[in-house]
Amino acid sequence: MPKSAPRLAAGLLALALVFTVAVTTPWHLIDLPKPDAALDFTSAEIARQNAFRHEILPWSTASWIISTLVPLVIGFSPLGRRMYDGLRVRPWVIAVPLTVAGVVLITSLLTVPTDVMAERVSLKYGLSVQNWRLWVWDRGLNWALTSLGLAVIAVVLMALAKHWKQGWWLPGAIAAALLVLGVSFAYPVLVEPRFNHFTSMPAGAQRNEFLALAKQDGVPVKDVLVADASKRTTALNAYVSGFGSTRRLVVYDTLLKDTPPAQVRLVVAHELGHAAEDDVLHGTLIGVLGTAFGITLLYLLLGARMSDPRRAAMLVALVAAGTVLASPVQNLVSRKIEARADYHSLRLTNDPQDFVAMQHDLAVQNIDGLDPSRWRYWMFATHPTPPERIAMGRAWATQDGHPVPPLVGR
């Protein structure tokens, strides 16, 4: 294989990734008026949201900084190699997963104080209702799943690097891409049930309406699942996950409890928009390209040194760094995809009045950020802000000749 092959492959994968994102992302749907929270949120609602964020953001930001820096410090310093050597475990296929799990565990333990404080704020404002036993269980399960995923990647790449010193990038990229595809496909049936219990929505008028809406939309939906989210939160939500035979439409039990039926219908229509556009599959395919590019880039950085199991912690650090660097682009694409699902919801229901009311009520109940700082918006916002989403509903209504007046002062 020519020495230039990995550089050429990396360049082609980068071009394919940029082209795919550029072509498949819905960059413009409708001209929007300037978002203005004061039009639809009372001063008391805005003050509550600001107070909540003032209390929780220092802790959540500190936790994010810690969870980012700790793997970098361990992986890019002698600490990572010392961790591996200190295990005194052979063979390496056992020592590497233990090292990876150790790095993730240290990171998780160091974020406990800040995460506890953030959880206390969520409990104070009634957004969280879970007990501490469940909170600890969730953290332990997240640690186990994260460690397992990173350990599989590390072992597979190192095994390939030991076998093909100078050409491991090709089978490594293929294996990692297949792993991303497989995890996305299996996630709804293997991972989600570890956190929530799912039941079919009881037979009745609302379930029939959702299935009829899906049929009208041309989206094959055999069932609507209800997640027992109320054991953790009062937040309102719904989502679509998986693709093909594992695709599922899930609504939180909190959403069905007190939300007006017209608003629930709009939420479901939004999720049907994701299903109609195969957003999970498209996102997975972009992830496949991005992962293949990342593995090729990893080869250009480490080459044959990837075969050294003492670099397991460095691999975790590189994954952490890559995740942070990719976040702004991933979030930008995600916001555009979510905006398209909102647009789909409006087209399917033609109900901008309830759409605006729904976005307001969800934002108030979930205490969503109405006007985040620019860096937070780029680093963490996977959805448009509530005022942005309301602006879309208002733009749709105006275009349709039935403007929606501001909610404040109704």
Side-chain angles (χ1 to χ4, degrees), residues 322-350:
T323 300
V324 172
L325 292 174
S327 289
V329 175
Q330 289 177 329
N331 290 335
L332 171 62
V333 173
S334 177
R335 289 192 297 271
K336 296 298 182 181
I337 296 297
E338 294 296 336
R340 180 172 64 189
D342 281 344
Y343 191 74
H344 184 96
S345 177
L346 287 162
R347 286 196 299 115
L348 185 60
T349 63
N350 194 27

Side-chain angles (χ1 to χ4, degrees), residues 250-387:
V250 178
V251 296
Y252 279 17
D253 57 354
T254 52
L255 182 68
L256 299 177
K257 185 178 179 181
D258 297 315
T259 308
Q263 294 189 18
V264 179
R265 184 171 183 265
L266 280 155
V267 173
V268 170
H270 170 100
E271 300 307 329
L272 289 175
H274 286 307
E277 297 289 346
D278 280 324
D279 286 339
V280 175
L281 179 58
H282 289 163
T284 300
L285 294 178
I286 290 174
V288 164
L289 283 173
T291 300
F293 169 72
I295 296 300
T296 308
L297 189 61
L298 183 64
Y299 174 83
L300 295 175
L301 292 172
L302 295 181
R305 292 174 294 173
M306 188 67 233
S307 63
D308 183 2
R310 298 175 76 233
R311 298 184 182 276
M314 179 183 289
L315 180 60
V316 176
L318 289 169
V319 171
T323 300
V324 172
L325 292 174
S327 289
V329 175
Q330 289 177 329
N331 290 335
L332 171 62
V333 173
S334 177
R335 289 192 297 271
K336 296 298 182 181
I337 296 297
E338 294 296 336
R340 180 172 64 189
D342 281 344
Y343 191 74
H344 184 96
S345 177
L346 287 162
R347 286 196 299 115
L348 185 60
T349 63
N350 194 27
D351 188 7
Q353 186 81 43
D354 281 314
F355 178 89
V356 169
M358 177 266 292
Q359 294 295 351
H360 165 271
D361 293 352
L362 261 63
V364 171
Q365 179 63 39
N366 298 348
I367 325 181
D368 290 331
L370 302 179
D371 186 23
S373 64
R374 296 310 299 173
W375 81 270
R376 290 187 188 281
Y377 185 76
W378 283 96
M379 289 302 301
F380 304 114
T382 58
H383 291 61
T385 65

Side-chain angles (χ1 to χ4, degrees), residues 11 29 43 73 97 100 105-106 118 130 174 200 203 208 210 212 259 270 284 286 294 304 308 329 361 366 386-387 406:
L29 297 165
S43 56
V73 170
V100 170
L105 179 61
I106 291 171
Q130 66 182 336
I174 294 172
S200 294
N208 293 339
F210 294 164
T259 308
H270 170 100
T284 300
I286 290 174
D308 183 2
V329 175
D361 293 352
N366 298 348

